[in-house]
Amino acid sequence: MRDNERLNQLEYRQHRLYLRSFPRCLGLVLGNACNIDCPHCYQAKNGDNLLKPPAIGRELRREFAAFYPHLTTLRIQGGEAFAYAGFRDIIQDVQAAAEHPILSVSTNATLIDEDWAEAIVRTPFRTVTVSIDGGTPETYARLRRGADLGEVLANVDRIRRWKAKLASDLPYLDTFFVVMRSNFREIPRYFQIAAEHGFTDVSLQTMSITPENTAREPDLVRDESIVDRAEILELHAIMRERMPRERPRFRMIRTSGLTSLFEEQGLDSGFLSEQTDGLYPDATDLEERGEIELCPNPWTTLFVTENGNVHLCFLSEPIGNLYEAPLAAIWNSPQAMAKRSDMISGRYMRSGCSKQWCGWREGKKATAPEAAEFTALRAEMRDLVERAKASGGLVQIGEQQPNIAAVRRMVAERDRQVRELDALFEQLCKVNGEIHESGQRYIDRLEKRLGVAHALARAASTLMSMPGRLRKGWHASQ
């Protein structure tokens, strides 16, 4: 794992497009089912689940487990991760494949009872991230329908008690806050809650508007999007005043989306330090070195959603789907390398990044490494690459995976058929176009002849209507 982390550092610093290192962070969204109802949840609620059907789920688990020895973080999300029976299977896979704590989970923390709290500490989990979108019980209950803030914080305290009982530093506790119109004034109180309940890291991100949440909540944009300049100025004042005061209380305060929101209004955003303190799942070593000029996520992260889409960052467009190709192939696919290349050149929007969260990066090219540094790092990198080759790459666990292979063959066949149909359709359009053009030319000739005939008919009619003396004069003039 340490060799992979160091090789990944070097490849990031040298702006490599094809990576010999494996991702440091693998994010898995197990499904989109949840035990509570949040109006702003960006996911579809269609029952997609990576671990179903069971035969496919078992094979995907083996494919995921091949990455575990190389990871520093395996981040599990839902829906609600603790609501999935398959979550315990993932935990067992991690314990069998990884020699160090890598397991992190994002949760609403409503289902963490005494047994789960003990298991979380004994495993141990590396990080538990708790979503808390309010600073008061009333706001929290309205935005996280079906959950109670007091009960959630009591469950967090269960984990803290088990940490104390077992004298464990793990898991680290952090918390996530979605910034909306109805809750941003409670950010100071949210910071206070986080400090009181032992959270070491705090993350704040602006709300994601998707077809899924707006279909479920037609008034969501009107009610919760922060677009009014007066409210943006108020939010800016809160953050500018609180950030210097709160930073000493936490290991890290991360933000996402606030820089773009403030800069669109011509407001200073430098105090947020979003370039260095952004939502980078596993790049603490780069942050400490002050190297976050270029967003590191496409060099460090693979993120898989419940429908199989694979991303190089949880905020960007997908670059593939694991039902179409293995994760290892997608990691260095042409789409992945193109995204890295575009980002190095400052073309973040073209690479599939989000304007809402990454628009402030657009046009900012990464500084190429200096020749002297490049030469000094090359020897170390060659050594690490050779050691990576000697390790045999991804660890293959268990037997072959016939079911997922069959799915991928079916998808490949589907894609072939789609390409054939596209070619046939293109040819049909070409033929139809030629027929249309030929027909139009024929119609034009007929209309021209008819036009001449009509003109002659009109002339004859005019002539016949003339008195006899005038007709003779007209003929004579012709």
Side-chain angles (χ1 to χ4, degrees):
M1 182 271 286
R2 296 301 178 194
D3 281 354
N4 184 66
E5 185 177 19
R6 180 55 180 162
L7 178 58
N8 189 264
Q9 287 176 3
L10 298 179
E11 291 183 321
Y12 168 73
R13 289 168 63 181
Q14 295 179 39
H15 300 171
R16 295 297 180 97
L17 304 183
Y18 182 93
L19 305 181
R20 301 284 186 177
S21 60
F22 302 112
R24 306 184 196 186
C25 177
L26 176 61
L28 302 177
V29 181
L30 297 185
N32 54 40
C34 190
N35 63 316
I36 67 172
D37 177 25
C38 303
H40 54 286
C41 180
Y42 62 88
Q43 291 179 302
K45 299 299 180 182
N46 57 9
D48 278 352
N49 187 317
L50 283 178
L51 303 182
K52 291 184 178 180
I56 297 294
R58 284 192 295 271
E59 293 172 3
L60 288 178
R61 281 172 47 206
R62 285 193 288 271
E63 186 167 328
F64 300 149
F67 285 87
Y68 296 168
H70 306 283
L71 299 177
T72 52
T73 300
L74 171 67
R75 177 166 289 277
I76 304 298
Q77 297 178 218
E80 174 48 45
F82 287 97
Y84 294 103
F87 185 30
R88 293 185 185 273
D89 296 328
I90 295 284
I91 295 172
Q92 293 174 2
D93 294 343
V94 171
Q95 291 174 317
E99 297 179 354
H100 47 279
I102 64 170
L103 188 58
S104 297
V105 62
S106 294
T107 175
N108 58 41
T110 58
L111 302 178
I112 300 178
D113 56 17
E114 201 68 25
D115 289 340
W116 263 121
E118 180 181 1
I120 286 168
V121 180
R122 287 191 184 276
T123 300
F125 282 47
R126 182 181 175 184
T127 306
V128 175
T129 302
V130 181
S131 295
I132 302 175
D133 297 329
T136 63
E138 296 75 20
T139 298
Y140 177 90
R142 181 170 47 77
L143 294 175
R144 298 201 149 256
R145 297 185 293 227
D148 178 88
L149 180 58
E151 293 177 359
V152 165
L153 295 175
N155 292 343
V156 171
D157 290 339
R158 289 180 195 271
I159 299 174
R160 296 174 67 199
R161 286 195 297 272
W162 274 104
K163 287 177 64 175
K165 183 175 182 178
L166 299 177
S168 174
D169 292 331
L170 298 177
Y172 301 119
L173 296 173
D174 58 35
T175 175
F176 194 90
F177 185 98
V178 179
V179 181
M180 293 174 272
R181 282 189 71 203
S182 67
N183 70 0
F184 76 84
R185 296 175 182 88
E186 297 180 8
I187 288 175
R189 177 59 188 148
Y190 166 72
F191 279 125
Q192 184 63 33
I193 289 172
E196 291 173 353
H197 290 272
F199 292 102
T200 60
D201 293 64
V202 174
S203 298
L204 302 99
Q205 179 177 305
T206 53
M207 180 178 63
S208 175
I209 298 297
T210 68
E212 287 76 18
N213 57 21
T214 51
R216 292 191 301 266
E217 305 285 340
D219 297 330
L220 182 65
V221 174
R222 182 198 68 190
D223 293 343
E224 296 295 358
S225 286
I226 304 174
V227 295
D228 180 74
R229 178 170 172 80
E231 290 182 333
I232 296 173
L233 288 171
E234 188 179 358
L235 172 60
H236 182 267
I238 291 171
M239 295 301 298
R240 192 177 185 88
E241 188 270 334
R242 298 305 304 188
M243 291 293 277
R245 297 174 56 180
E246 300 295 346
R247 278 201 168 101
R249 298 209 284 180
F250 300 98
R251 187 175 63 172
M252 182 70 73
I253 299 178
R254 304 178 187 277
T255 64
S256 181
L258 292 174
T259 292
S260 296
L261 182 65
F262 294 158
E263 289 191 353
E264 286 175 359
Q265 298 292 325
L267 303 173
D268 170 53
S269 63
F271 64 92
L272 296 171
S273 301
E274 198 165 305
Q275 177 163 307
T276 55
D277 301 343
L279 297 186
Y280 310 126
D282 205 350
T284 303
D285 57 307
L286 300 177
E287 294 163 355
E288 291 171 350
R289 290 169 174 262
E291 296 177 350
I292 307 292
E293 176 193 45
L294 170 66
C295 176
N297 287 348
W299 282 263
T300 62
T301 304
L302 267 180
F303 185 74
V304 184
T305 60
E306 67 272 25
N307 63 0
N309 280 343
V310 180
H311 309 244
L312 292 178
C313 169
F314 64 99
L315 297 175
S316 69
E317 293 298 316
I319 58 165
N321 189 286
L322 59 75
Y323 296 114
E324 300 177 6
L327 281 180
I330 296 173
W331 177 237
N332 276 315
S333 64
Q335 296 91 329
M337 290 189 285
K339 179 171 180 60
R340 295 178 188 124
S341 176
D342 280 335
M343 291 173 67
I344 291 168
S345 300
R347 298 187 293 267
Y348 281 81
M349 298 303 99
R350 194 174 89 170
S351 80
C353 291
S354 163
K355 186 177 188 300
Q356 177 180 353
W357 295 298
C358 307
W360 59 274
R361 292 185 184 273
E362 183 68 12
K364 296 182 180 180
K365 296 182 179 180
T367 305
E370 295 181 2
E373 179 190 17
F374 191 89
T375 302
L377 296 175
R378 185 176 298 170
E380 182 185 2
M381 194 162 114
R382 278 199 301 266
D383 178 57
L384 288 168
V385 168
E386 290 304 316
R387 285 157 65 176
K389 289 179 181 176
S391 72
L394 290 179
V395 178
Q396 297 302 321
I397 298 175
E399 68 275 11
Q400 295 298 311
Q401 304 177 13
N403 288 292
I404 191 65
V407 170
R408 287 167 179 160
R409 285 195 298 272
M410 290 172 60
V411 171
E413 176 62 19
R414 180 208 65 187
D415 290 344
R416 183 189 64 78
Q417 292 175 357
V418 168
R419 287 194 296 272
E420 287 182 353
L421 288 173
D422 283 344
L424 289 172
F425 182 72
E426 184 178 349
Q427 181 63 26
L428 180 62
C429 289
K430 182 179 179 181
V431 171
N432 284 345
E434 292 172 351
I435 293 172
H436 175 77
E437 290 174 3
S438 176
Q440 188 62 51
R441 287 194 297 271
Y442 181 69
I443 290 170
D444 291 343
R445 288 196 298 272
L446 288 178
E447 288 180 342
K448 186 175 181 180
R449 292 174 183 173
L450 287 172
V452 172
H454 287 159
L456 290 174
R458 285 195 299 272
S461 176
T462 300
L463 180 62
M464 294 303 296
S465 63
M466 292 179 180
R469 181 174 54 82
L470 292 177
R471 280 203 304 272
K472 290 180 181 179
W474 184 84
H475 280 297
S477 68
Q478 298 301 311

